[in-house]
């Protein structure tokens, strides 16, 4: 069984992060200047809940013609002014834009539903209102949003056939695979969401219980939490979304510590309609942030191009570009691919030979960094978390290294770990890290992922298959790759009983390895 994470850290991380989010949002207001007058309106949502919204129409709109409609639900914890700068630009180019504060936050009524059925119904009620109260074209409707707004937009498009195009930025398609991947609680991400909702919204009794069970590692409530999350995941409704045929663009950051890129890539592969997937350096919503201030921004530029083509019919070429667009964390240019599986077309294995035993409950010094801060540093200064690989204490960290690479290795996609673990207790957590190791032994973090097990027989080996978080990173010539495994990381709740040990082995009939995806040279 795991231990509840210290309440102090949970509260502090959540509160500080929420304050920063709210503060940045409030700073957006001065950048927005209306194309036509900005109208602040009340929209009646599902069950009579009042949603606070704003409407911007193209200059000179007099009702003599219809305009494509864009509906923008706000991000988690942000007020309705969040999108004013982008709404201005979109209205200037001929869209009616309705942005609304999702229920449970700020001045909107109701309680936080976390993209539950009332949120989906609210999106449809906002569309109804716009069609009745603005010169919006019922045949050309799109939805877009950042983070929470992205998740709601995807789910809404699966339930409302009127939505013809979606741009989901820094969102989620699988909520459980986002904050509970590897059966491990992403505690800093959870604390951020929890703290922001306490400060800026009204939690329902249901979500409060979900958070409490999450922190407490309450395994008796695990399936309940999973079922709750699946109901709030677009991946659950992918068949409906495909049937409706909406054109779906998704964008995310490689280092998103709230919604990791893997779950977006998996969902993208299941879409059968027009689709586009973009990954860039950065953490949660940081790639889109400058656009919210009205500054030039690639994500928002492509979002407008997406809507121009699929709602206006503009022949701007976006439908002819490679649909998967990646920007490496190490270089400045974009790379195009026909699909996600082509990203890491070549794979090289690093053998994890021998038998290694480590003790648990101590952070070896290898870790995934700090929510937001670490990936922002990587985005701005190409400075990911680092560790001295030779100095990592082998009592608490297992280390394997490749040979020096004679040429640069362009890691693209999802590295996969396969190993055999023998525990001394029935539960445990391990965290795998992939490092780029320079000549002096300093390792820069390429990727990582956590893994938790319960119900294993002490002393009995079992196989572990773990996908590390997808990334794009260039390893210089003369460097090595190192796989490090330890058992404690501040990003996660760990489930290692006191005194537990983990032994990693590589049986002859089932050798252990880490498979590295490489761009085809």
């Amino acid at each position: 069984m795991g231990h509840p994470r210290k309440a102090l850290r949970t509260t502090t991380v959540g509160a500080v992060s929420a304050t920063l989010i709210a503060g940045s949002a409030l700073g957006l207001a001065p950048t927005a200047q209306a194309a036509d007058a900005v109208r602040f309106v009340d929209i009646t949502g599902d069950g009579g809940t009042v949603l606070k919204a704003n409407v911007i129409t193209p200059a000179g709109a007099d009702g003599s013609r219809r305009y494509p409609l864009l509906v923008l639900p706000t991000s988690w914890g942000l007020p309705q002014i969040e999108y004013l700068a982008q709404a201005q630009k979109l209205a200037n180019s001929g869209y009616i834009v309705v942005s609304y504060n999702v229920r449970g936050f700020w001045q909107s009524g109701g309680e936080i539903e976390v993209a539950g059925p009332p949120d989906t119904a609210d999106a449809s009620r906002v569309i109804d209102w716009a069609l009745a109260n603005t010169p919006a074209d019922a045949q050309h409707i799109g939805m877009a949003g950042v983070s929470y707004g992205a998740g709601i937009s995807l789910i809404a498009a699966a339930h409302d056939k009127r939505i013809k195009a979606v741009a989901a930025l820094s969102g989620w398609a699988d909520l459980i695979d986002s904050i509970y991947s590897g059966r491990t609680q992403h505690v800093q991400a959870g604390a951020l969401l929890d703290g922001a909702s306490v400060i800026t919204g009204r939690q329902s009794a249901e979500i409060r219980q979900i958070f409490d069970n999450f922190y407490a590692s309450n395994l008796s409530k695990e399936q309940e939490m999973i079922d709750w999350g699946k109901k709030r995941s677009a991946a659950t409704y992918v068949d409906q979304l495909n049937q409706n045929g909406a054109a779906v663009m998704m964008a995310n950051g490689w280092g998103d510590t709230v919604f990791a890129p893997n779950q977006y890539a998996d969902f993208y592969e299941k879409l059968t309609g027009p689709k586009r997937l973009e990954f860039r350096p950065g953490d949660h919503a940081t790639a889109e942030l400058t656009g919210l201030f009205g500054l030039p921004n690639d994500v928002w530029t492509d979002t407008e191009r997406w809507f121009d083509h699929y709602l206006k019919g503009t022949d701007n070429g976006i439908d002819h570009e490679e649909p998967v667009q990646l920007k490496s964390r190490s270089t400045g240019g974009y790379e195009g691919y026909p699909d996600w599986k082509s990203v890491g077309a070549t794979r090289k294995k690093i053998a994890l030979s021998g038998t290694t035993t480590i003790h648990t409950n101590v952070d070896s010094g290898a870790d995934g960094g700090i929510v937001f801060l670490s990936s922002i540093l990587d985005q701005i200064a190409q400075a990911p978390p680092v560790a001295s690989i030779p100095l990592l204490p082998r009592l608490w960290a297992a280390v394997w290294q490749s040979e020096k690479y004679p040429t640069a290795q362009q890691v693209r996609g999802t590295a996969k770990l396969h190993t055999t673990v023998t525990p001394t207790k029935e539960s445990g957590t391990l965290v795998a890290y992939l490092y780029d190791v320079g000549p002096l032994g300093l390792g820069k973090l390429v990727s990582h992922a956590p893994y938790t097990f319960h119900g294993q027989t002490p002393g009995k080996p079992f196989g572990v298959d773990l996908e590390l978080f997808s990334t794009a990173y260039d390893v210089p010539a003369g460097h090595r790759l190192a796989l490090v495994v330890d058992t404690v990381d501040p990003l996660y709740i760990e489930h290692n009983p006191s005194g537990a040990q983990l032994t990693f082995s590589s049986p002859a009939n089932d050798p252990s390895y880490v498979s590295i995806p490489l761009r085809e040279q």
Side-chain angles (χ1 to χ4, degrees):
M1 295 293 290
H3 337 290
R5 198 49 121 199
K6 295 180 178 65
L8 177 62
R9 174 162 62 189
T10 297
T11 304
T12 302
V13 171
V16 171
S17 300
T19 302
L20 291 173
I21 292 171
S24 65
L26 292 173
L28 298 179
T31 69
Q33 299 177 355
D36 206 348
V38 180
R39 286 194 293 145
F40 290 90
V41 300
D42 290 350
I43 297 176
T44 302
D46 185 55
T49 298
V50 175
L51 306 174
K52 296 294 183 177
N54 58 67
V55 184
I56 304 181
T57 57
D62 57 7
S64 62
R65 55 166 290 195
R66 296 286 170 179
Y67 298 88
L69 169 67
L70 294 179
V71 174
L72 311 179
T74 53
S75 301
W76 185 272
L78 267 63
Q80 58 170 305
I81 63 170
E82 175 186 5
Y83 301 115
L84 280 183
Q86 284 301 320
Q88 156 77 24
K89 291 185 175 183
L90 291 164
N92 282 341
S93 64
Y95 292 93
I96 291 172
V97 185
V98 180
S99 175
Y100 71 96
N101 236 123
V102 290
R103 64 171 54 222
F105 284 102
W106 293 83
Q107 293 89 3
S108 285
E111 296 179 324
I112 299 168
E113 296 287 342
V114 196
D119 288 308
T120 305
D122 283 346
S124 293
R125 299 294 82 76
V126 171
I127 292 172
D128 293 341
W129 182 93
L131 294 177
N133 294 277
T134 74
D137 186 345
Q139 303 304 312
H140 299 91
I141 298 173
M143 283 192 71
V146 176
S147 186
Y148 196 34
I152 290 174
S153 295
L154 282 174
I155 296 171
H159 288 83
D160 193 326
K161 295 180 180 180
R162 296 175 298 179
I163 301 169
K164 303 302 183 184
V166 172
L169 316 178
S170 288
W172 79 93
D174 188 325
L175 189 57
I176 295 301
D177 198 35
S178 295
I179 62 173
Y180 194 58
S181 72
R183 209 178 176 186
T184 308
Q185 295 96 322
H186 297 209
V187 68
Q188 288 190 13
L192 185 151
L193 298 172
D194 188 6
S197 63
V198 167
I199 292 172
T200 64
R202 297 168 299 283
Q203 294 184 348
S204 66
E206 180 184 39
I207 186 179
R208 183 67 261 157
Q209 192 60 57
I210 290 290
F211 274 124
D212 290 344
N213 292 338
F214 178 84
Y215 296 134
S217 307
N218 190 343
L219 289 180
S220 68
K221 298 292 185 179
E222 181 183 40
Q223 190 58 51
E224 180 181 314
M225 181 183 72
I226 291 172
D227 294 341
W228 174 88
K230 293 300 182 186
K231 185 185 293 185
R232 290 158 171 81
S233 298
T236 302
Y237 312 107
V238 66
D239 290 342
Q240 292 172 230
L241 186 57
N242 286 334
Q243 185 175 1
N244 290 349
V248 176
M249 170 184 157
M250 301 186 296
N252 203 359
W254 290 121
D256 194 319
T257 43
V258 181
F259 304 129
N262 299 46
Q263 48 89 33
Y264 247 20
D266 291 343
F267 180 70
Y268 173 84
E269 287 292 273
K270 298 174 183 176
L271 294 173
T272 58
K275 58 184 181 178
R276 182 178 178 93
L277 180 66
E278 300 182 355
F279 285 129
R280 298 172 176 83
D283 205 306
H284 185 61
T286 62
E288 300 88 357
L289 184 60
T290 57
L292 293 179
F293 286 91
L295 300 174
N297 181 277
D298 289 355
V299 187
W300 286 103
T301 295
D302 285 349
T303 294
E304 185 171 349
R305 293 175 64 224
W306 190 253
F307 287 133
D308 282 351
H309 181 75
Y310 287 102
L311 296 183
K312 290 182 178 179
T314 304
D315 186 13
N316 57 18
I318 197 167
D319 56 322
H320 298 303
E321 297 171 2
E322 297 280 26
V324 176
Q325 293 286 322
L326 310 182
K327 194 172 186 179
S328 170
R329 292 161 50 201
S330 310
T331 57
Y334 285 93
E335 302 165 2
Y337 299 86
D339 49 39
W340 176 250
K341 64 178 178 289
S342 299
V343 171
T346 302
R347 285 191 169 268
K348 290 184 180 178
K349 290 183 178 180
I350 300 172
L352 310 181
S353 57
T355 299
T356 303
T357 298
I358 61 173
H359 295 253
T360 65
N361 303 115
V362 173
D363 189 339
S364 70
D367 64 54
I370 301 171
V371 66
F372 275 132
L373 178 60
S374 297
S375 291
I376 291 175
L377 285 174
D378 187 38
Q379 176 184 359
I380 295 172
Q382 296 184 7
V386 298
S388 175
I389 305 304
L391 297 182
L392 290 175
R394 271 34 176 193
L395 186 64
W396 297 295
V399 179
W400 298 268
Q401 295 192 71
S402 71
E403 298 297 322
K404 288 183 180 180
Y405 293 110
T407 59
Q409 305 293 297
Q410 295 181 313
V411 179
R412 299 289 187 273
T414 309
K416 299 178 181 180
L417 167 66
H418 174 74
T419 189
T420 297
V421 177
T422 305
T424 59
K425 305 289 184 179
E426 59 91 22
S427 293
T429 296
L430 61 91
V431 186
Y433 308 89
L434 187 65
Y435 283 100
D436 160 25
V437 185
L440 300 180
L442 186 66
K444 294 183 177 181
L445 188 64
V446 177
S447 184
H448 78 286
Y451 180 92
T452 293
F453 61 88
H454 297 288
Q456 294 295 332
T457 302
K460 182 178 180 181
F462 65 95
V464 169
D465 288 287
L466 175 63
E467 289 191 349
L468 277 61
F469 299 138
S470 304
T471 195
Y473 181 97
D474 296 351
V475 180
H479 285 212
R480 308 171 187 265
L481 282 172
L483 183 81
V484 176
V485 179
D486 71 2
T487 63
V488 175
D489 190 303
L491 288 171
Y492 310 108
I493 290 178
E494 48 91 6
H495 299 258
N496 297 296
S498 180
Q501 299 178 26
L502 300 177
T503 297
F504 301 91
S505 59
S506 183
N509 62 345
D510 186 21
S512 297
Y513 60 86
V514 59
S515 174
I516 309 299
L518 299 173
R519 183 184 183 190
E520 193 167 5
Q521 300 292 310

